């Protein structure tokens, strides 16, 4: 999900469900069906278990660093809500973001962009479809975590991203350029 899923059952019941779903405009188109097929062909439960174990390891260290109340430990990766992203960023900042009108969604977007540009992390809040939540959701795979240097390095990168975000709370124009771009320079994240 959310664009496609697999349904297994008695042919007569599956056909009725498919007919109803199609009538509602919910049919899976060819490319989606092929995507589901390729996912099933390459599915390996050991890979999923390893990815989940590393994701949980990352979540635990993030909870230790930022607080268990701010970091949700979901089975496939930690999540920090946009409100908690701003709360963490404001730590010791005397609520400077409110002075400049920075809202939680903007803070989470900026953090996601920092992680993308500085580390190559593709997070849900920068690669999701319009209208999706902008919380910071890490969905690490074991291969990518290993390539990056291990769970500690991932957590260190997130921590460095928060440090950079804290700096940007006092620079509202730079913060907005990271979100919306700049007419003169698109590489404003490297401040």
């Amino acid at each position: 999900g959310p664009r496609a899923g697999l349904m297994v059952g008695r042919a007569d019941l599956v056909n009725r469900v498919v007919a109803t779903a199609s009538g509602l405009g919910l049919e899976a188109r060819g490319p989606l069906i092929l995507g589901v097929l390729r996912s099933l062909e390459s599915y390996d439960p050991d890979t999923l278990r390893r990815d989940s174990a590393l994701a949980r390891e990352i979540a635990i260290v993030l909870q230790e660093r930022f607080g268990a109340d701010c970091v949700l430990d979901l089975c496939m990766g930690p999540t920090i809500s946009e409100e908690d992203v701003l709360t963490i960023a404001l730590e010791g900042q005397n609520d400077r973001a409110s002075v400049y009108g920075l809202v939680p969604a903007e803070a989470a977007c900026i953090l996601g962009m920092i992680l993308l540009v500085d580390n190559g992390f593709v997070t849900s809040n920068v690669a999701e479809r319009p209208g999706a939540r902008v919380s910071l959701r890490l969905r690490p795979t074991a291969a990518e975590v290993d390539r990056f240097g291990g769970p500690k390095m991932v957590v260190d990168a997130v921590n460095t991203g928060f440090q950079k975000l804290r700096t940007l709370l006092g620079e509202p124009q730079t913060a907005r350029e990271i979100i919306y771009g700049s007419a003169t320079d698109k590489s404003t994240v490297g401040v």
Side-chain angles (χ1 to χ4, degrees):
R3 298 287 182 232
L6 178 65
M7 183 173 41
V8 178
R10 285 187 4 217
D12 61 320
L13 295 177
V14 169
N15 287 334
R16 286 175 51 196
V17 170
V18 169
T20 301
S22 295
L24 296 171
L26 301 176
E27 80 283 355
R29 293 185 172 87
L32 292 176
I33 293 169
L34 288 175
V36 170
L37 175 64
R38 295 296 178 254
S39 293
L40 290 172
E41 289 174 344
S42 65
Y43 173 73
D44 178 1
D46 290 334
T47 300
L48 186 62
R49 285 186 200 102
R50 185 164 182 244
D51 289 351
S52 180
L54 276 172
R56 290 217 143 139
E57 188 177 333
I58 291 167
I60 288 167
V61 179
L62 285 172
Q63 287 176 334
E64 290 169 357
R65 190 158 299 171
F66 300 118
D69 54 329
C70 290
V71 180
L72 294 174
D73 178 7
L74 304 177
C75 72
M76 292 311 297
T79 296
I80 304 175
S81 75
E82 56 272 27
E83 291 83 7
D84 287 329
V85 165
L86 186 55
T87 297
I88 292 167
L90 286 172
E91 192 172 289
Q93 299 293 310
N94 297 324
D95 202 23
R96 285 183 0 195
S98 64
V99 172
Y100 299 111
L102 197 63
V103 298
E106 291 170 320
C109 180
I110 292 166
L111 179 60
M113 291 301 295
I114 290 168
L115 293 172
L116 177 63
V117 171
D118 290 356
N119 304 289
F121 289 8
V122 179
T123 59
S124 299
N125 59 343
V126 297
E128 233 353 302
R129 67 197 175 281
R133 278 214 56 191
V134 292
S135 54
L136 179 70
R137 293 170 292 189
L138 300 175
R139 300 298 180 258
T141 63
E144 286 302 304
V145 171
D146 290 345
R147 182 188 66 76
F148 196 72
K152 182 185 179 318
M153 297 299 289
V154 172
V155 173
D156 287 347
V158 172
N159 189 55
T160 299
F162 270 111
Q163 291 170 358
K164 195 174 259 190
L165 175 59
R166 277 186 196 100
T167 301
L168 292 173
L169 293 178
E171 302 175 25
Q173 184 57 39
T174 303
R176 282 180 177 72
E177 287 174 1
I178 289 171
I179 298 171
Y180 302 111
S182 167
T184 58
D185 181 16
K186 298 291 184 190
S187 62
T188 56
V189 176
V191 292

